[in-house]
């Protein structure tokens, strides 16, 4: 066995991407705007809300020992201040199902989607959101904390700044009439920038009708520096309340991190990007129990800034480079400044040929193993994703999963990569 006995090997999902019918969320509204930037709506997604037991059993049968999933705030608090006990019980069942199958549950409290009412109240640029998030975290922890060892407060808390940077680049590229599509491959999440630009003229009116503001501040919106800090203050508020209730729960946040590589002359660009993506958050996370590392690819910089993928590079369905070595590089880099425990809370690849996924996992985990051997406290690896699912604006065509899902019948078919990942616990 490559890893210590207690090392967590698992897979991750997010509620909105797999559960289905998340009707009280901001995303649901945005997916159904007449000029939506979404390729298709999430609909019943993978119906994981009803089929979680089958999914967790497949994960466990393959030998995986951890499952990272998210609790949906819009289900728990569909209207401001109205908490739904039956939804808490649903998540209690999911957690118990994990345990009954020998799987460690790792819960995320916010994975991009928020209740629509929160956005009507100013969303992720409004000071009041800190208190709303604290109250939600307190409610969930009071009810379910006794069953949990790990909580990720917020998924990819740095996404807003990454999107702001992309939006700047995209505008520039559009102005230069460059091939706009290639901008999408520079962010580690499914976004349809071209469609967004086309729809912009309608979006303001339709958003105003849905959210009472032409520019709703959802979690995945371009963020101001104040909004950026607000997200981390919300994390700190949630962490404080979780720790007060259950001091033994390990609490962390997760960050989307690229392997930023400088070619000669690109050093200052790469440094600035690393500072924006990671370093400036250190004061907010320094005392956390762990940091969630999420990585998918690398970005290179030259004398004029960010470079396109190297000539001839293998691209994933997401249009970014197939480069599993990025994970090891990011872990080593993070460890230079963050000395606490690390958990790889997401790492994966969207490909149609599953043998490329096996190869990706093999190379990524070889990197993790080498970090562990060197004494870096990496405590787990969660592959993204357990199953093919709703890749946000890009819809269902991106296949990241270890399990294939037939969209018509919801039938599950485990891929070879699921069994391969399971061999790491044996
Ligand atoms: C997100 C996931 C997403 C994945 C693949 C991460 O940015 O946390 O929700 O599906 O990357 O793009």
């Amino acid at each position: 066995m490559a890893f210590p006995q207690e090392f967590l090997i698992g897979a991750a999902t997010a509620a909105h991407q797999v559960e289905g019918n998340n009707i009280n969320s901001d995303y649901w509204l945005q997916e159904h705007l007449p000029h939506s930037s979404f390729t298709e709506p999430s609909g019943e997604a993978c119906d994981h809300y009803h089929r979680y037991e089958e999914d967790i059993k497949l994960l466990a049968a393959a030998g995986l020992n951890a499952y990272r999933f998210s609790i949906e705030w819009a289900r728990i608090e569909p209207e401001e201040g109205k908490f739904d006990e039956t939804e808490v019980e649903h998540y209690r069942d999911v957690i118990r199902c994990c345990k009954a199958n020998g799987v460690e549950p790792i819960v995320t409290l916010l994975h991009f989607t928020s209740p629509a009412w929160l956005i009507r109240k100013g969303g992720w640029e409004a000071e009041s959101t800190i208190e709303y998030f604290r109250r939600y975290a307190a409610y969930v922890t009071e009810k379910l904390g006794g069953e949990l060892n790990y909580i990720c407060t917020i998924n990819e808390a740095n996404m807003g700044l990454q999107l702001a940077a992309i939006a700047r680049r995209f505008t520039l590229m559009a102005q230069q009439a460059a091939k706009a599509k290639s901008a999408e491959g520079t962010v580690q999440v499914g976004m349809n920038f071209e469609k967004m630009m086309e729809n912009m003229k309608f979006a303001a009116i339709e958003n105003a009708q849905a959210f009472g503001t032409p520019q709703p501040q959802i979690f995945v919106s371009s963020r101001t520096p104040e909004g950026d800090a607000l997200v981390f203050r919300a994390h700190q508020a949630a962490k404080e309340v979780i720790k007060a209730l259950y001091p033994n729960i390990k609490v962390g946040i997760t960050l989307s991190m690229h392997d930023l590589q400088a070619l000669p002359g690109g050093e200052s660009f790469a440094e600035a990007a690393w500072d924006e993506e990671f370093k400036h958050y250190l004061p907010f996370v320094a005392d956390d129990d762990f940091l969630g590392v999420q990585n998918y690819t690398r970005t290179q910089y030259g004398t004029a800034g960010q470079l396109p993928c190297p000539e001839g590079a293998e691209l994933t369905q997401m249009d970014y480079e197939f480069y599993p070595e990025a994970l090891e590089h990011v872990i080593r880099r993070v460890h230079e400044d963050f000395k606490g425990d690390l958990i790889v809370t997401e790492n994966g690849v969207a490909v149609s040929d599953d043998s490329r996924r096996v190869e990706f996992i093999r190379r990524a985990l070889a990197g993790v193993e080498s970090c562990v051997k060197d004494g870096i406290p990496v405590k787990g690896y969660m592959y993204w994703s357990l199953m093919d699912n709703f890749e946000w604006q890009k819809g269902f065509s991106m296949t990241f999963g270890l399990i294939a899902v037939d969209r018509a019948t919801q039938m599950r078919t485990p891929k070879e990569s699921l069994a391969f990942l399971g061999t790491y616990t044996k």
Side-chain angles (χ1 to χ4, degrees), residues 142-348:
E142 264 162 29
K143 301 282 180 189
L144 301 175
E147 318 246 3
L148 293 171
N149 296 317
Y150 296 92
I151 295 183
C152 304
T153 55
I154 297 176
N155 180 67
E156 294 189 345
N158 58 344
M159 184 50 74
L161 271 201
Q162 286 190 5
L163 287 171
I166 292 273
R168 284 196 301 275
R169 276 205 294 278
F170 186 83
T171 312
L172 201 75
M173 289 174 72
Q175 278 163 1
Q176 292 165 349
K179 207 172 132 236
K181 188 174 170 286
S182 60
E184 286 157 25
T186 60
V187 64
Q188 301 190 124
V189 67
M191 300 289 295
N192 288 334
F193 286 106
E194 206 169 3
K195 206 168 173 192
M196 272 165 79
M197 295 290 275
E198 278 165 29
N199 289 341
M200 224 132 88
K201 47 186 185 293
F202 303 106
I205 303 166
E206 290 168 9
N207 275 317
Q209 278 161 3
F211 296 104
T213 162
Q215 272 205 312
Q217 297 299 329
I218 67 164
F219 188 80
V220 182
S221 293
S222 295
R223 194 141 301 139
T224 64
E226 294 73 32
D228 183 48
L230 186 141
V231 170
F232 283 79
R233 287 164 56 219
H235 158 68
Q236 288 180 321
K239 182 180 141 194
E240 199 180 296
V241 77
I242 297 166
K243 285 293 196 184
L245 289 161
Y246 286 96
N248 292 333
I249 297 181
K250 291 189 197 303
V251 184
I253 200 164
T254 84
L255 296 177
S256 163
M257 292 187 271
H258 296 78
D259 172 16
L260 303 172
Q261 300 181 352
L263 272 55
E267 294 81 0
S268 60
F269 290 107
E271 261 329 298
W274 186 238
D275 187 68
E276 178 167 294
E277 202 160 278
F278 171 61
K279 270 193 160 174
H280 83 280
Y281 297 119
L282 277 166
F284 292 103
V285 302
D287 303 330
D288 288 0
D289 299 311
F290 68 91
L291 179 67
V293 172
Q294 310 201 164
N295 166 263
Y296 290 83
T297 191
R298 71 170 163 180
T299 306
Q300 293 185 308
Y301 293 87
T303 47
Q306 191 177 327
L307 295 168
C309 290
E311 196 72 27
E314 176 180 353
L315 298 185
T316 74
Q317 292 170 338
M318 296 287 282
D319 266 343
Y320 46 62
E321 190 184 353
F322 181 102
Y323 187 72
E325 287 69 28
L327 180 60
E328 174 179 358
H329 300 163
V330 165
I331 292 172
R332 291 188 182 278
R333 193 98 196 263
V334 166
H335 181 68
E336 286 173 17
D337 294 301
F338 183 87
K339 299 295 180 193
D341 287 355
L342 301 175
I343 298 177
V344 178
T345 38
E346 284 182 30
N347 173 251

Side-chain angles (χ1 to χ4, degrees), residues 3 9 23 32 56 83-84 164-165 169 307 360 368 374 416:
F3 294 104
I9 291 278
I23 58 171
H32 291 89
I56 291 168
F83 291 87
D84 189 337
R169 276 205 294 278
L307 295 168
F360 188 94
V368 176
D374 287 346
E416 155 109 45

Side-chain angles (χ1 to χ4, degrees), residues 1 12 16 26 32 64 66 74 113 140 182 184 194 200 208 260 324 336 379 387:
M1 192 161 64
H16 188 79
D26 50 357
H32 291 89
L64 278 57
T113 42
V140 170
S182 60
E184 286 157 25
E194 206 169 3
M200 224 132 88
L260 303 172
E336 286 173 17
K379 303 296 179 185
M387 65 194 98

